[in-house]
Amino acid sequence: MVASRAIGSLRRFTASRTLRCPGYTCRNFSASSALLTRTHINYGVKGDVAVVRINSPNSKVNTLSRELQSEFIEVMNEIWANDQIRSAVLISSKPGCFIAGADINMLASCKSAEEVMQLSQEGQRMFEKLEKSTKPIVAAISGSCLGGGLELAISCQYRIATKDRKTVLGSPEVLLGILPGAGGTQRLPKMVGVPAAFDMMLTGRNIRADRAKKMGLVDQLVEPLGPGLKPSEERTIEYLEEVAVTFAKELSDKKISLKRDKGLVEKLTSYAMSIPFVRQQIYKKVEEKVRKQTKGLYPAPLKIIDAVKTGIEQGNDAGYVSESQKFGELAMTKESKALMGLYHGQVLCKKNKFGTPQKDVKHLAILGAGLMGAGIAQVSVDKGIKTILKDATLAGLDRGQQQVFKGLNDKVKKKALTSFERDSIFSNLTGQLDYQGFEKADMVIEAVFEDLNVKHRVLKEVEAVVPDHCVFASNTSALPIRQIASVSKRPEKVVGMHYFSPVDKMQLLEIITTEKTSKDTTASVVAVGLKQGKVIVVVKDGPGFYTTRCLAPMMSEVLRILQEGVDPKKLDSLTTSFGFPVGAATLVDEVGVDVAKHVAEDLGKAFGERFEGGSVELLKQMVSRGFLGRKSGKGFYIYQEGVKNKSLNSEMDGILASLKVPPKSDVCSDEDLQYRLVTRFVNEAIMCLQEGILATPAEGDIGAVFGLGFPPCLGGPFRYVDLYGAQKIVDRLRKYEAAYGKPFTPCQLLIDHANSPNKKFYQ
Amino acid sequence: MTSILTYTLKNLPSTSKWALRFSLRPLSCSSQLRAAPAAQTKSKKTLAKPNIRNIVVVEGVRIPFLQSGTSGLLHRTNVPKDVVDYIIFGTVIQEVKTSNVAREAALGAGFSDKTPAHTVTMACISANQAMTTGVGLIASGQCDVVVAGGVELMSDVPIRHSRKMRKMLLDLNKAKTLGQRLSLISKFRLNFLSPELPAVAEFSTSETMGHSADRLAAAFAVSRLDQDEYALRSHSLAKKAQDEGLLSDVVPFKVPGKDTVTKDNGIRPSSLEQMAKLKPAFIKPYGTVTAANSSFLTDGASAMLIMAEEKALAMGYKPKAYLRDFVYVSQDPKDQLLLGPTYATPKVLERAGLTMTDIDAFEFHEAFSGQILANFKAMDSDWFAQNYMGRKTKVGSPPLEKFNNWGGSLSLGHPFGATGCRLVMAAANRLRKEGGQYGLVAACAAGGQGHAMIVEAYPK
């Protein structure tokens, strides 16, 4: 749940990349000779304006691939050579996507830093030609304009963007561990100012069209149109083109000037940036902040700062050289390979490989209006699903409905929604205490108390009222689904949906199928999960499924380390400096000590010796003292409303002292402590693949990173083994096995990988 | 506004005594109706329905629509009228002091204080709503005589204090001690004073109507030139109609403290060249909707007397037209805000069993040139009919020679609440003048709503 902070930005980026961009067929052009010979780009001439249309074949998005680039250069050369043409418009034929970025596979196929550097230099040269074009070029942007797409757009003389939610501009390269390598680090600071450019390039955030206009990133906005004589997105693109052509004409006729009126604040900033001392201070500040946030684990942000700095302090030529060099270096780093792997995994986990379900879920019912239930309701109603939220008590229901409203209202405050949209979304929610209306439900998700008897009771109650096709999904973090399904009349309709808290922030959804669950049931829950905006891993039923099962042995080790006398603050800093977004002790507090105890006991029974480590007694005592973690205000730390720096709970000292075990000196260096945690996690994950709980390593990596906060820079447990070598991990495990025994015994699949170094999880 | 009420009644042919004599005569409306087709040159069937009373317009008037600046429409008269069963008025921007403006006006105009009155609101089709509410009351047999109309006072819209200021003033009212009052006053900030203007924007989308019209025009690829040409047509036709004295529903109005106004003062035929010079008013700098091709908001009031046919005849009146089938429709307030006529036209035609070719006079509310032309295109598109209206085929666009021949809202002006009556009266008067039988009135309104009504000429 806590990993959200680290990966939040990754989400934004990929969300826009997976947009559906149904291509549409182009219209005929007035005059275009070479039109049919090209596959990615074609152009026509309207009066004296060339309209260049980008449309990568067989793809929902346009990416800057080698073919596209070479065709683009060809087309531009023709345009520059043609005396009849006085200006040009660049536009995509795919609604929803201008250019989504450079082709990642093109980068991945490069074998050396030099090769990547060359790519970057080609890009730089191409865009420099655009920038220096004497015929004005207008970029007409509708849909995602990211990475290389943005670098292309800012090389043009003028930018016009559609003002809709799909149109976003950004430099997400940092999220893939690289930098904008086609002049972006040089051009962006000049266009929007150094601070804003740093913000864009270091966070990778997406910028909506209206914000981009205010920043000076685009020059004009075009409102999206409604339906006319053809579908609205098709007509909107046409209209954007018409408007862009008018502006292109006016630019070539010099009727409008390219100079933008700067506001007072902008003028002041650019004045301040002209003072070398101020610039130095800014670089220093930004570097400090980056170091603090990345803990030195991610090389890309520092290199971005460096490339920008070189360009500003030593001039363009030096800047370009620095940019392309660093681009080459970064593309070869393990971190970038790990992050790109995550990107691919995420794309994979955003697809429904179980096909289209027979029945679309239009009516959803959720049992239990607790934190989870209400969270699930929130992500459902805002996608237009009619949702019933049922609770046993009015007080519980009130709280749940209030949580949904607050979640939506927070979006209004951030201006992501209007208050009208909030109200109309909220009207999709019906709160009730009885089973009225369940006869129409296509799916019921229960999020009641984690107790098998309660789950059995509601399952029977629900089956008595719902229609035959209705799916029953159980939101549980550890109770085996087949046990829940044991009392069902229709076990083929029973499935597990493990959401992560807070549901509206955490992207992962773990779906658990039993051997009896039908394929259509699985397809249906995956479809709902995707609609809710989740990244989905589908795993087989078993104690702890995948995510809880990986976390449990690590938590067991956390307890042992605490019992060995390491204080929670130290433990937290060790885990965060390894790349976990949240420290291990804080994680226990966030999950809830009672939940952790529950899971530890259950899985301890199921897996025996291998899950041993620290004593569950520690958690039991905490629960009995009421230290349930954040929700009760006390756990390892004390939580107070409005206090930022939490302090240690001194009452824990007694408990920890009474359960103290002597540390073993050869395995308790800081590094050993870190690896004791990580290797148990990784070993268990690989065991899940070995046992068939996991279907693919990619799902294992996505589940670990998005659900549990496994360091994104390592790419997930499987990618980590691939990149750093199975042998090294086996060696570590063997060392700790000597000290602690069975819990560290490496699993067979990991040993296999260590024995044959060519064996990789990702080929 | 009261003046308009009284005027309606003053203008009626006062033949009530004569009428009374015949009132006992068994009056069969069906025989009247059967006679009607014979009188019609086109020999179309009439739209009378069995078991539903025929409802007629006896008279309708309006004061000239004035560009804001000439204010104050309330005018006291003392003509007692007690034949009226009910009074309904439409208005849009409501004055808080006269939230039921119909009742205040009725009292002010000297109607019997026993005649109830209520106010309806449905944005630009408020007056239509007032009329059809009256039709409903008569059809169901609850009333025989209803005065329906609309009024708008754009030059004096209520402007509210900001919410913060309102809250402080209300709290001050409740405060009991000086201390409480002072502490409240101490919270006063200068920005409390910034007023809230009522906006011509959609509540649901915060988009102004002109902005939406510009997008609509673009969606249907209506060019700037087409829009300007249409606006010019509206102004020229209005000018011609005014010069020929065809706008007979206008009554002179004495603005207190100023001269009497006798005609609509917004009609200004211009040239295409001059219109082309204007800058876009909403989507800048490349939009197509300008001040010249948009309707302008004015003060204005209109009223009409509607009756059950037998009652009208019994009282000796000569009705002007029948009010026949009507529909209200609504659609997406964002992208189809102004497409009401497109949705309403086929529906009302179907209900009346007519086709486009049966209609002799079209009177559409012209909110914007672009809106009218976009509606034409939508009505003429099979694709739009199939994908958005759930119809198999298009209804077809109205022939221009039958369309708004005496000008429209673009040239005459558009007082929100009063336009509906003007449309119906224009249709009725045109049918009488031109000898047609059926008129189709249609309008769009804020909130993505629309209305259409069939008006049938009363046999001469």
Side-chain angles (χ1 to χ4, degrees):
Chain A
M1 88 217 49
V2 262
S4 63
R5 269 159 262 179
I7 332 168
S9 41
L10 198 59
R11 151 187 19 199
R12 282 196 304 274
F13 156 54
T14 40
S16 61
R17 281 235 176 161
T18 47
L19 284 176
R20 298 183 168 271
C21 312
Y24 73 96
T25 41
C26 264
R27 300 154 301 276
N28 290 327
F29 300 114
S30 47
S32 172
S33 52
L35 165 111
L36 292 169
T37 57
R38 299 193 186 94
T39 52
H40 293 261
I41 295 199
N42 52 51
Y43 78 102
V45 183
K46 283 187 169 179
D48 57 3
V49 185
V51 179
V52 181
R53 297 194 175 87
I54 309 162
N55 194 3
S56 295
N58 310 320
S59 168
K60 288 174 187 167
V61 294
N62 294 322
T63 46
L64 289 174
S65 58
R66 281 183 205 273
E67 302 84 59
L68 192 148
Q69 291 183 35
S70 69
E71 286 186 14
F72 182 67
I73 293 172
E74 246 175 69
V75 164
M76 287 316 295
N77 285 337
E78 276 183 33
I79 290 171
W80 281 316
N82 187 339
D83 290 338
Q84 309 294 309
I85 296 172
R86 298 184 56 221
S87 58
V89 168
L90 302 185
I91 193 166
S92 157
S93 299
K94 295 182 201 293
C97 178
F98 178 67
I99 293 176
D103 182 3
I104 296 183
N105 296 326
M106 171 176 79
L107 285 181
S109 67
C110 292
K111 297 279 178 291
S112 68
E114 288 69 39
E115 215 179 314
V116 181
M117 193 171 120
Q118 222 167 17
L119 272 181
S120 157
Q121 285 167 345
E122 282 165 24
Q124 289 175 348
R125 273 196 294 273
M126 171 167 91
F127 292 161
E128 203 174 2
K129 271 179 98 173
L130 286 188
E131 188 180 32
K132 302 212 165 124
S133 167
T134 46
K135 299 180 179 177
I137 304 170
V138 178
I141 304 162
S142 185
S144 43
C145 171
L146 301 172
L150 180 72
E151 292 179 285
L152 169 67
I154 58 176
S155 314
C156 296
Q157 279 70 35
Y158 207 75
R159 281 149 300 280
I160 303 178
T162 315
K163 188 185 161 191
D164 57 14
R165 294 213 165 133
K166 281 184 186 167
T167 301
V168 286
L169 298 93
S171 296
E173 288 88 347
V174 70
L175 301 175
L176 295 174
I178 49 177
L179 53 71
T185 62
Q186 308 303 306
R187 249 173 230 118
L188 205 53
K190 292 194 186 103
M191 180 159 272
V192 297
V194 176
F198 273 140
D199 179 64
M200 282 179 71
M201 289 191 284
L202 296 176
T203 62
R205 79 171 85 234
N206 281 342
I207 292 170
R208 290 230 299 261
D210 44 355
R211 172 103 193 88
K213 170 96 188 331
K214 281 190 198 127
M215 286 170 67
L217 202 52
V218 302
D219 302 283
Q220 289 293 342
L221 294 179
V222 164
E223 296 277 337
L225 301 181
L229 298 176
K230 44 182 87 166
S232 94
E233 21 176 56
E234 211 175 296
R235 176 63 195 142
T236 301
I237 282 227
E238 264 180 33
Y239 180 53
L240 173 67
E241 185 183 303
E242 287 163 16
V243 173
V245 166
T246 341
F247 276 100
K249 273 204 183 90
E250 287 179 14
L251 281 168
S252 60
D253 293 345
K254 306 240 163 9
K255 275 192 196 154
I256 35 176
S257 93
L258 288 171
K259 269 208 177 142
R260 205 167 56 86
D261 290 331
K262 287 186 173 178
L264 181 66
V265 180
E266 251 178 286
K267 277 185 193 151
L268 285 176
T269 336
S270 63
Y271 171 71
M273 290 308 295
S274 66
I275 308 166
F277 173 75
V278 174
R279 287 203 302 271
Q280 294 307 327
Q281 288 302 309
I282 288 181
Y283 302 142
K284 220 174 97 191
K285 258 257 141 50
V286 175
E287 263 172 46
E288 258 169 40
K289 211 173 161 193
V290 163
R291 274 183 216 283
K292 205 175 148 204
Q293 281 181 351
T294 62
K295 302 192 191 299
L297 296 168
Y298 297 84
L302 291 175
K303 300 229 172 186
I304 291 174
I305 299 173
D306 227 35
V308 171
K309 199 157 108 179
T310 312
I312 293 175
E313 304 301 327
Q314 297 168 37
N316 264 349
D317 293 343
Y320 280 132
V321 172
S322 158
E323 179 186 274
S324 59
Q325 262 175 3
K326 294 192 164 66
F327 186 66
E329 288 162 21
L330 282 172
M332 290 295 127
T333 56
K334 288 196 171 83
E335 288 80 4
S336 121
K337 293 208 153 72
L339 291 169
M340 286 189 194
L342 277 178
Y343 167 71
H344 283 301
Q346 214 186 0
V347 170
L348 214 68
C349 293
K350 283 268 188 189
K351 288 185 181 138
N352 192 345
K353 54 184 173 187
F354 298 88
T356 316
Q358 285 167 13
K359 208 165 176 342
D360 207 19
V361 172
K362 294 210 173 80
H363 296 269
L364 177 70
I366 296 165
L367 303 180
L371 211 57
M372 295 302 278
I376 300 168
Q378 188 192 327
V379 297
S380 307
V381 288
D382 71 0
K383 310 298 180 316
I385 305 175
K386 298 257 176 244
T387 306
I388 293 174
L389 185 60
K390 179 196 176 298
D391 201 88
T393 66
L394 193 59
L397 187 62
D398 279 353
R399 197 216 62 81
Q401 284 178 303
Q402 184 54 37
Q403 181 189 328
V404 177
F405 186 82
K406 187 175 175 294
L408 296 172
N409 202 34
D410 288 349
K411 286 194 179 172
V412 174
K413 283 182 193 154
K414 285 185 200 144
K415 300 209 169 139
L417 282 181
T418 65
S419 59
F420 182 80
E421 284 167 326
R422 174 199 65 204
D423 294 346
S424 84
I425 289 170
F426 195 63
S427 72
N428 285 331
L429 185 74
T430 317
Q432 60 191 50
L433 299 173
D434 54 17
Y435 282 104
Q436 198 192 346
F438 274 56
E439 69 279 357
K440 275 200 281 180
D442 302 308
M443 184 178 290
V444 174
I445 302 175
E446 66 79 13
V448 299
F449 190 64
E450 290 262 37
D451 176 285
L452 196 58
N453 292 325
V454 183
K455 302 244 181 209
H456 278 168
R457 204 189 69 223
V458 300
L459 172 56
K460 285 185 202 153
E461 285 175 3
V462 165
E463 284 195 341
V465 288
V466 295
D468 287 339
H469 71 271
C470 179
V471 172
F472 183 89
S474 199
N475 173 60
T476 170
S477 55
L479 290 177
I481 302 301
R482 69 171 70 86
Q483 278 183 31
I484 295 175
S486 66
V487 299
S488 168
K489 285 185 282 185
R490 336 159 288 162
E492 73 281 2
K493 293 283 181 198
V494 181
V495 67
M497 284 176 107
H498 180 198
Y499 286 89
F500 293 75
S501 179
V503 182
D504 59 324
K505 302 246 158 55
M506 290 295 285
Q507 265 186 291
L508 190 71
L509 168 62
E510 184 181 27
I511 286 174
I512 305 104
T513 60
T514 71
E515 57 275 20
K516 285 185 182 155
T517 308
S518 73
K519 194 178 158 223
D520 187 59
T521 302
T522 315
S524 183
V525 285
V526 172
V528 168
L530 289 177
K531 202 166 189 187
Q532 290 168 337
K534 298 293 170 194
V535 174
I536 294 172
V537 299
V538 180
V539 304
K540 289 245 168 65
D541 190 26
F545 323 128
Y546 168 65
T547 50
T548 312
R549 181 168 159 185
C550 288
L551 193 61
M554 185 171 116
M555 282 301 149
S556 170
E557 202 58 30
V558 165
L559 296 185
R560 170 148 56 199
I561 290 171
L562 289 169
Q563 281 177 283
E564 286 178 357
V566 176
D567 86 293
K569 268 205 167 144
K570 166 93 187 283
L571 179 60
D572 273 354
S573 94
L574 283 177
T575 32
T576 50
S577 66
F578 197 79
F580 283 92
V582 170
T586 308
L587 186 60
V588 178
D589 277 358
E590 297 276 352
V591 172
V593 178
D594 51 339
V595 176
K597 176 192 137 238
H598 227 77
V599 170
E601 284 173 343
D602 283 357
L603 296 191
K605 261 182 239 155
F607 293 104
E609 233 181 317
R610 197 154 46 79
F611 273 46
E612 276 174 13
S615 167
V616 184
E617 187 58 28
L618 173 58
L619 297 175
K620 279 188 188 157
Q621 287 198 19
M622 287 176 77
V623 172
S624 68
R625 294 282 297 276
F627 302 155
L628 303 184
R630 179 184 282 277
K631 59 185 166 190
S632 70
K634 272 181 188 175
F636 289 108
Y637 294 95
I638 293 173
Y639 298 91
Q640 279 166 311
E641 201 71 42
V643 178
K644 226 181 170 190
N645 288 328
K646 51 188 196 279
S647 55
L648 276 175
N649 180 1
S650 56
E651 292 171 81
M652 282 300 297
D653 295 350
I655 300 178
L656 285 170
S658 71
L659 294 167
K660 195 163 167 57
V661 294
K664 303 194 177 184
S665 57
D666 54 337
V667 287
C668 64
S669 72
D670 284 357
E671 199 189 54
D672 280 323
L673 293 178
Q674 288 174 327
Y675 277 102
R676 274 164 62 189
L677 296 172
V678 175
T679 51
R680 281 192 77 172
F681 188 121
V682 171
N683 192 32
E684 198 61 35
I686 293 169
M687 201 160 208
C688 285
L689 184 67
Q690 180 185 312
E691 289 180 2
I693 296 280
L694 277 176
T696 59
E699 285 177 288
D701 282 344
I702 293 296
V705 173
F706 288 87
L708 306 171
F710 191 88
C713 55
L714 304 180
F718 296 93
R719 180 78 58 183
Y720 174 57
V721 171
D722 273 3
L723 288 173
Y724 291 80
Q727 189 60 50
K728 277 190 195 155
I729 302 188
V730 170
D731 291 347
R732 286 270 179 195
L733 280 163
R734 293 287 186 210
K735 177 180 172 192
Y736 305 136
E737 187 187 18
Y740 296 108
K742 203 86 183 274
F744 286 97
T745 309
C747 69
Q748 191 55 47
L749 186 58
L750 182 59
I751 294 173
D752 289 350
H753 274 247
N755 288 342
S756 48
N758 288 333
K759 233 177 159 178
K760 298 272 182 198
F761 291 110
Y762 294 93
Q763 290 308 327
Chain B
M1 194 208 72
T2 39
S3 66
I4 206 90
L5 275 183
T6 47
Y7 201 97
T8 316
L9 299 170
K10 264 194 265 173
N11 245 9
L12 293 173
S14 25
T15 46
S16 47
K17 274 180 204 153
W18 176 83
L20 268 173
R21 265 188 278 149
F22 290 90
S23 63
L24 293 175
R25 189 190 66 168
L27 195 124
S28 148
C29 32
S30 51
S31 69
Q32 280 273 342
L33 291 171
R34 251 178 258 119
Q40 293 289 327
T41 44
K42 290 186 183 172
S43 75
K44 286 175 189 164
K45 67 178 179 10
T46 169
L47 292 176
K49 287 182 185 171
N51 306 324
I52 293 181
R53 300 171 92 186
N54 280 314
I55 295 153
V56 294
V57 181
V58 174
E59 183 59 279
V61 293
R62 61 184 180 93
I63 60 166
F65 289 170
L66 309 169
Q67 295 244 43
S68 301
T70 50
S71 64
L73 288 172
L74 294 175
H75 176 61
R76 246 168 218 285
T77 52
N78 291 309
V79 186
K81 298 291 164 199
D82 48 10
V83 283
V84 178
D85 294 327
Y86 206 92
I87 297 166
I88 308 161
F89 260 72
T91 191
V92 178
I93 296 176
Q94 301 205 355
E95 171 67 61
V96 185
K97 280 185 194 165
T98 54
S99 62
N100 186 1
V101 66
R103 175 64 175 161
E104 311 309 330
L107 285 176
F111 279 89
S112 158
D113 57 8
K114 298 289 188 295
T115 305
H118 82 265
T119 308
V120 293
T121 181
M122 200 169 181
C124 309
I125 48 179
S126 296
N128 305 72
Q129 184 55 261
M131 270 184 292
T132 54
T133 305
V135 167
L137 284 174
I138 299 174
S140 64
Q142 305 307 309
C143 300
D144 289 328
V145 182
V146 173
V147 169
V151 60
E152 204 64 49
L153 204 56
M154 292 304 294
S155 56
D156 185 23
V157 294
I159 295 171
R160 297 200 294 184
H161 277 299
S162 70
R163 167 166 274 187
K164 289 172 192 161
M165 187 71 182
R166 297 203 302 270
K167 183 163 178 357
M168 197 177 82
L169 290 173
L170 288 173
D171 287 348
L172 265 179
N173 248 345
K174 289 180 211 150
K176 292 197 174 65
T177 65
L178 184 67
Q180 280 174 348
R181 283 194 189 115
L182 284 178
S183 83
L184 272 171
I185 289 170
S186 71
K187 288 185 195 132
F188 176 81
R189 298 286 174 277
L190 213 57
N191 68 6
F192 284 18
L193 289 177
S194 62
E196 272 178 19
L197 281 161
V200 194
E202 285 295 297
F203 176 73
S204 56
T205 59
S206 326
E207 188 182 21
T208 63
M209 203 173 265
H211 203 274
S212 190
D214 205 320
R215 288 198 306 115
L216 185 73
F220 283 93
V222 178
S223 73
R224 166 81 183 264
L225 183 65
D226 288 346
Q227 294 181 41
D228 285 351
E229 276 173 359
Y230 183 84
L232 188 60
R233 170 188 188 268
S234 180
H235 278 279
S236 318
L237 290 176
K239 179 84 179 120
K240 186 161 168 269
Q242 196 177 50
D243 292 347
E244 289 173 11
L246 295 174
L247 304 178
S248 58
D249 54 337
V250 179
V251 294
F253 176 71
K254 167 81 174 77
V255 181
K258 294 194 180 160
D259 290 341
T260 299
V261 184
T262 56
K263 55 184 188 181
D264 304 306
N265 69 359
I267 305 174
R268 318 175 181 177
S270 163
S271 69
L272 282 176
E273 293 73 43
Q274 268 181 315
M275 289 168 96
K277 279 186 201 151
L278 283 177
K279 285 195 175 146
F282 299 98
I283 296 188
K284 295 164 190 167
Y286 56 84
T288 53
V289 172
T290 65
N293 59 35
S294 314
S295 63
F296 47 95
L297 301 176
T298 60
D299 289 348
S302 59
M304 55 205 287
L305 181 65
I306 51 183
M307 289 190 189
E309 184 184 27
E310 69 268 23
K311 178 82 175 179
L313 294 176
M315 291 175 72
Y317 295 138
K318 177 75 185 160
K320 290 204 155 165
Y322 291 109
L323 298 182
R324 297 302 193 188
D325 294 281
F326 62 87
V327 292
Y328 287 92
V329 293
S330 62
Q331 60 281 336
D332 170 23
K334 171 90 185 153
D335 290 330
Q336 304 188 7
L337 181 69
L338 304 169
L339 285 181
T342 301
Y343 281 84
T345 301
K347 249 179 133 174
V348 78
L349 286 175
E350 233 158 60
R351 191 167 291 178
L354 299 174
T355 63
M356 287 296 266
T357 49
D358 293 323
I359 304 296
D360 304 303
F362 290 90
E363 277 296 327
F364 277 33
H365 164 50
E366 298 167 342
F368 302 88
S369 283
Q371 168 255 341
I372 285 289
L373 297 173
N375 270 291
F376 284 179
K377 286 197 170 187
M379 290 164 91
D380 208 25
S381 159
D382 280 328
W383 186 86
F384 190 84
Q386 284 155 7
N387 288 284
Y388 285 93
M389 297 166 65
R391 306 180 61 84
K392 287 202 186 75
T393 52
K394 63 187 182 184
V395 62
S397 73
L400 214 52
E401 66 274 12
K402 294 183 186 172
F403 191 85
N404 290 8
N405 289 0
W406 294 355
S409 304
L410 283 170
S411 41
L412 302 172
H414 173 39
F416 283 147
T419 294
C421 287
R422 180 187 67 72
L423 292 174
V424 171
M425 284 323 296
N429 289 335
R430 272 180 60 195
L431 290 175
R432 287 169 67 85
K433 177 89 184 160
E434 296 163 2
Q437 189 178 357
Y438 297 120
L440 175 64
V441 170
C444 56
Q449 313 213 70
H451 165 77
M453 183 190 257
I454 301 283
V455 178
E456 184 182 346
Y458 198 83
K460 281 175 185 168

